[in-house]
Amino acid sequence: MKAVRDIALCAVADAGVRSKVMNAMIQKSLPYAEEWHKVPLLRRRKYEGAREVCVIITHREHVQEAGTLIAALDDTVKSRVYFDVDGLK
């Protein structure tokens, strides 16, 4: 459940990428939660045709640190993480 102090960090359509991002956040002791959102038909192209995506949520105070952590992951993971999650709600 998303609290007022939490913010949607990114969305991930691939389960393997999701696991890598979550494991990296666990290793750095960053707080996170996940929500699953259905992707509207017209936005599926952006998310590789996925019908649902995992939206990763973190505390507002940790957004910068989490973004830096994801940016440090390998290119195949970074390229499949979507930071613009508008339009999924």
Side-chain angles (χ1 to χ4, degrees):
M1 185 163 79
K2 188 173 169 183
V4 174
R5 65 184 180 273
D6 295 338
I7 188 166
L9 176 66
C10 61
V12 180
D14 181 84
V17 172
R18 178 189 144 271
S19 294
K20 289 178 183 179
V21 171
M22 296 292 192
N23 287 335
M25 291 184 76
I26 289 169
Q27 289 176 357
K28 294 292 184 180
S29 300
L30 294 175
Y32 75 91
E34 62 181 60
E35 290 180 351
W36 288 89
H37 291 269
K38 293 189 183 290
V39 179
L41 184 63
L42 297 176
R43 295 193 185 261
R44 289 185 185 166
R45 175 182 251 178
K46 175 181 178 179
Y47 299 104
E48 303 169 21
R51 293 180 181 192
E52 286 186 319
V53 293
C54 176
V55 176
I56 299 172
I57 299 164
T58 191
H59 193 279
R60 288 187 187 275
E61 294 176 6
H62 297 282
V63 170
Q64 185 69 32
E65 189 177 356
T68 303
L69 174 69
I70 292 171
L73 296 174
D74 63 64
D75 289 337
T76 57
V77 173
K78 283 192 302 192
S79 66
R80 301 184 81 188
V81 175
Y82 308 97
F83 286 97
D84 181 20
V85 293
D86 293 332
L88 290 176
K89 300 172 184 174

